[in-house]
Amino acid sequence: MSREVEELNRRLLRARDLMDRAYADPLDVRAVAAVAHVSPAHFSRCFRAVFGETPHRYLQRRRVERSMFLLRETDRTVTDVCFDVGFTSLGTFSRTFREIVGETPSAYRVGHGPIVAPHCVQLAALRPREAAGRAAPTEQF
Amino acid sequence: MISRLNVTSIYVLDKEEALDFYVDKLGLEKGNDVQQGDYRWLTVRARGDQSTEISLEQPGSPLHDDATAERLRELITKGALGGLVFITDDVRALYGRLRDHGVTDFTQEPTEHFYGTDMGLRDPFGNPIRILQQGKAVEQATD
């Protein structure tokens, strides 16, 4: 029993790593679930049980974190940043960013400059937390 | 005054498998390997670096009760425990060598930053490892 849990954890972690690595690509649930050797139908539930949020939400927060990084560190336009991090619609990007961060991408950029910390520290520690009071994540990927 | 880090430890699920990864694939060398009863004190370190040993600890008896060991094993495989950061003089060559050795669990391909070029991977159990080739500015500052 315990060994099965460990092996499932490890495979789900591999799928999570794929999202951290390839967030800019058009990832679909089938491809990510395949890395974990879990059926697409069960993947979201398994992932949430292990990591506390749906893979969809995990990927959204990774993409928003990377967009925050680009807004702080580069002069790229908000539209460019939106597509750089894997969003395919400016509307979805702006809505998701605002929901998670609590302000618009442009307002965030005005208030924030580069952070002097290693890339790995930023990746691990600066992924935005769940915004207070938002609805529970959907099961949809 | 404390002058340096002597030993750090990392949890692994299996010491033999850990040796295969950390020594045969990653290229560290075995340090201490002392069997005392049913406990094996096993360390690895960067080749030629006598200053810091990495103790490979396996959850379970005699260090932990069964429930604690099971919890630790879950956390390791979730990637929730601490990892290691190494320095190399050529991260891209190392990346190629690791791929040639069949390592596939990269979390980040070699990427340039203002402080150098680094890459990320996981050991077979889920522990995060980063390997950094420091930039010239950093090297000069620490020489």
Side-chain angles (χ1 to χ4, degrees):
Chain A
M1 152 65 183
S2 154
R3 186 53 65 106
E4 283 172 24
V5 168
E6 291 158 18
E7 287 176 2
L8 179 61
N9 284 354
R10 187 67 186 86
R11 286 186 274 119
L12 290 167
L13 179 60
R14 204 165 278 132
R16 201 186 78 176
D17 285 342
L18 170 65
M19 290 192 280
D20 285 335
R21 202 173 59 239
Y23 58 87
D25 300 337
L27 291 172
D28 66 73
V29 64
R30 191 166 295 277
V32 180
V35 169
H37 301 286
V38 176
S39 75
H42 288 114
F43 177 60
S44 191
R45 186 165 47 83
C46 292
F47 188 96
R48 189 176 181 181
V50 169
F51 295 117
E53 63 185 332
T54 62
H56 174 69
R57 195 61 176 172
Y58 186 88
L59 179 59
Q60 275 190 329
R61 293 206 293 140
R62 170 55 66 218
R63 284 173 169 163
V64 167
E65 182 277 326
R66 286 290 84 198
S67 75
M68 294 165 81
F69 172 80
L70 292 173
L71 291 166
R72 288 195 308 266
E73 305 270 343
T74 73
D75 294 325
R76 294 179 68 70
T77 66
V78 170
T79 305
D80 285 342
V81 168
C82 157
F83 295 116
D84 284 346
V85 301
F87 283 95
T88 53
S89 132
L90 188 57
T92 304
F93 170 59
S94 298
R95 192 172 62 250
T96 306
F97 189 101
R98 190 167 187 166
E99 177 195 16
I100 290 176
V101 182
E103 57 187 335
T104 64
S106 306
Y108 175 81
R109 164 170 269 169
V110 170
H112 296 83
I115 293 173
V116 184
H119 184 67
C120 55
V121 173
Q122 299 201 29
L123 276 175
L126 298 184
R127 200 168 58 100
R129 299 172 189 204
E130 284 297 323
R134 65 171 300 280
T138 66
E139 284 295 333
Q140 186 192 359
F141 187 75
Chain B
M1 187 184 81
I2 291 171
S3 55
R4 62 181 171 83
L5 177 63
N6 187 18
V7 179
T8 186
S9 60
I10 188 164
Y11 283 119
V12 299
L13 296 188
D14 182 275
K15 288 184 182 178
E16 274 306 319
E17 196 179 349
L19 271 185
D20 174 68
F21 175 77
Y22 282 100
V23 175
D24 296 342
K25 292 196 169 72
L26 206 57
L28 302 183
E29 65 180 10
K30 190 157 84 170
N32 295 282
D33 189 356
V34 179
Q35 189 77 38
Q36 292 188 317
D38 58 358
Y39 178 72
R40 182 184 184 188
W41 181 43
L42 180 63
T43 70
V44 294
R45 60 193 177 211
R47 287 195 181 279
D49 178 7
Q50 303 280 334
S51 63
T52 304
E53 307 261 339
I54 302 158
S55 177
L56 303 173
E57 297 288 0
Q58 200 169 309
S61 176
L63 300 179
H64 312 103
D65 63 275
D66 289 351
T68 305
E70 188 163 332
R71 180 62 60 86
L72 278 170
R73 294 172 69 95
E74 276 185 35
L75 292 173
I76 294 166
T77 50
K78 280 189 195 192
L81 298 187
L84 300 166
V85 183
F86 295 103
I87 296 289
T88 180
D89 55 4
D90 190 344
V91 70
R92 290 181 194 279
L94 180 59
Y95 176 70
R97 219 162 40 245
L98 291 174
R99 287 182 65 107
D100 291 345
H101 278 78
V103 174
T104 56
D105 264 325
F106 292 98
T107 54
Q108 180 202 297
E109 296 183 349
T111 306
E112 288 179 25
H113 312 286
F114 70 89
Y115 50 84
T117 306
D118 70 358
M119 67 176 172
L121 65 156
R122 290 194 188 276
D123 77 6
F125 320 107
N127 295 305
I129 295 169
R130 297 200 69 91
I131 304 174
L132 169 67
Q133 178 183 345
Q134 290 181 315
K136 289 193 165 46
V138 177
E139 281 178 357
Q140 284 163 5
T142 55
D143 274 350

